[in-house]
Amino acid sequence: MSGILQGRVAIITGAGGGLGAAHAKVFASEGCAVVVNDINTEAAQSVVDEIIAAGGKAVVNSSDITNYDDSLNAIKQALESYGDLHIVLNNAGVNRDRMFASMTEQEWDTIMAVHLKGHFCISSHAVHYWRGRSKEGKPVDARIINTTSGAGLQGSIGQSNYAAAKAGIAALTLNQAAELGRYNITANAVAPSARTGMTSAVPEMAERMAKPEDGSFDHFAPENVSNLLAWLASAEAESVTGRVFEAEGGRICICDGWRTTAGVDSGAAWAPAEIGAAMKALLAEEVPAQKVWGT
């Protein structure tokens, strides 16, 4: 198979279903050899079988992305199977939705482990591999692609754990881009809006995102997001780094992050009683943030 990812090798986490499976199939259709990572090996094997049947290259990997030592095996498998690694696409995720006042420690920790730590583990080992190649004078053209969410960019009622983890992933992406460019590694994140197993489990979302029966453009097809990620993973995207994108249907946006305003400056320490007037001036000049989802 030929395409913009011909000759490249990717690890895609959580690729046994939903967005991850779509990413794996689109990447493979563009010529990429794919390590399909998922703890559900049966689901991962089904994706691999479909890719191979279509003429692509793929293998199953069941490394636990929340376990630092075990996640190294994904990198080892990529190198043993295909001789190199160019792309880590961090996609795996779970939900443990709960209002903050009712959230348990376990619900908090599970989301942080799968999303935030999960984005760290495999990427860390991949970076060690790429940095080593760079120091040896070998060519590196590597990609880290992270998955954030509108919940992380603006908050989401009933998802404080998920929102906090996804916000952390956005900030992590900026740091990775700033630190890893010297090794020819780019880092970008995407906040997708697409039909997945998680959205299908919510009746109102399932109805809104349903595939049209009339054959018209499938706005919420996960492949719409995958196509952007395939381009970001390609050699053509070598100069694009440190960005957070939103992708929905045929629309691609760059998310404009936190920015410092001009502010007010007294030139000296504020007395507590003086801050009320300063705050009034600050709030009068602010550009309101996007509203938290669900408000």
Side-chain angles (χ1 to χ4, degrees):
M1 302 181 77
S2 61
I4 63 171
L5 297 178
Q6 185 66 38
R8 292 172 76 74
V9 180
I11 297 170
I12 302 179
T13 69
L19 274 168
H23 298 339
K25 294 170 191 177
V26 168
F27 273 48
S29 72
E30 290 293 332
C32 192
V34 183
V35 176
V36 177
N37 166 268
D38 205 294
I39 56 173
N40 185 335
T41 55
E42 184 176 344
Q45 187 64 58
S46 178
V47 173
V48 167
D49 291 344
E50 188 172 340
I51 288 172
I52 292 174
K57 298 178 181 179
V59 293
V60 172
N61 172 267
S62 59
S63 294
D64 179 355
I65 63 165
T66 71
N67 182 296
Y68 190 75
D69 292 337
D70 189 28
S71 63
L72 175 59
N73 291 318
I75 282 73
K76 289 180 177 178
Q77 186 170 358
L79 299 179
E80 291 167 1
S81 299
Y82 302 116
D84 208 346
L85 175 66
H86 306 92
I87 304 140
V88 169
L89 198 175
N90 292 300
N91 164 80
V94 295
N95 277 8
R96 294 292 186 273
D97 294 353
R98 190 85 64 187
M99 297 298 280
F100 184 80
S102 303
M103 186 167 292
T104 67
E105 181 182 15
Q106 184 177 7
E107 289 165 341
W108 179 271
D109 287 347
T110 295
I111 293 298
M112 292 302 153
V114 175
H115 288 273
L116 201 49
K117 186 178 180 183
H119 270 61
F120 166 73
C121 290
I122 288 178
S123 297
S124 173
H125 293 301
V127 166
H128 294 163
Y129 167 68
W130 292 326
R131 181 179 62 179
R133 286 183 61 86
S134 178
K135 289 183 174 181
E136 292 171 3
K138 296 178 180 177
V140 175
D141 184 22
R143 306 282 181 269
I144 296 173
I145 303 175
N146 296 327
T147 304
T148 184
S149 167
L153 303 177
Q154 62 201 67
S156 178
I157 295 294
Q159 291 189 306
S160 57
N161 50 359
Y162 181 78
K166 289 303 192 182
I169 288 167
L172 171 65
T173 302
L174 302 184
N175 260 62
Q176 287 173 328
E179 295 179 10
L180 302 177
R182 71 188 72 180
Y183 308 119
N184 293 322
I185 304 167
T186 69
N188 294 286
V190 176
S193 181
R195 186 173 56 250
T196 68
M198 286 190 287
T199 63
S200 298
V202 181
E204 57 269 26
M205 293 185 71
E207 183 179 355
R208 182 171 69 89
M209 292 183 163
K211 184 175 181 177
E213 297 179 358
D214 60 4
S216 60
F217 174 56
D218 188 357
H219 185 86
F220 291 105
E223 292 79 10
N224 297 331
V225 178
S226 306
N227 294 332
L228 168 61
L229 302 190
W231 185 85
L232 288 172
S234 74
E236 189 177 344
E238 63 180 350
S239 63
V240 179
T241 192
R243 303 298 199 281
V244 177
F245 297 94
E246 287 185 291
E248 177 185 316
R251 184 168 179 257
I252 301 170
C253 308
I254 294 177
C255 302
D256 196 5
W258 294 98
R259 294 183 181 274
T260 304
T261 65
V264 292
D265 186 353
S266 69
W270 290 94
E274 297 173 329
I275 290 178
M279 188 60 63
K280 185 176 180 180
L282 277 172
L283 296 177
E285 295 295 325
E286 77 166 336
V287 176
Q290 290 177 243
K291 290 186 178 298
V292 172
W293 290 98
T295 60

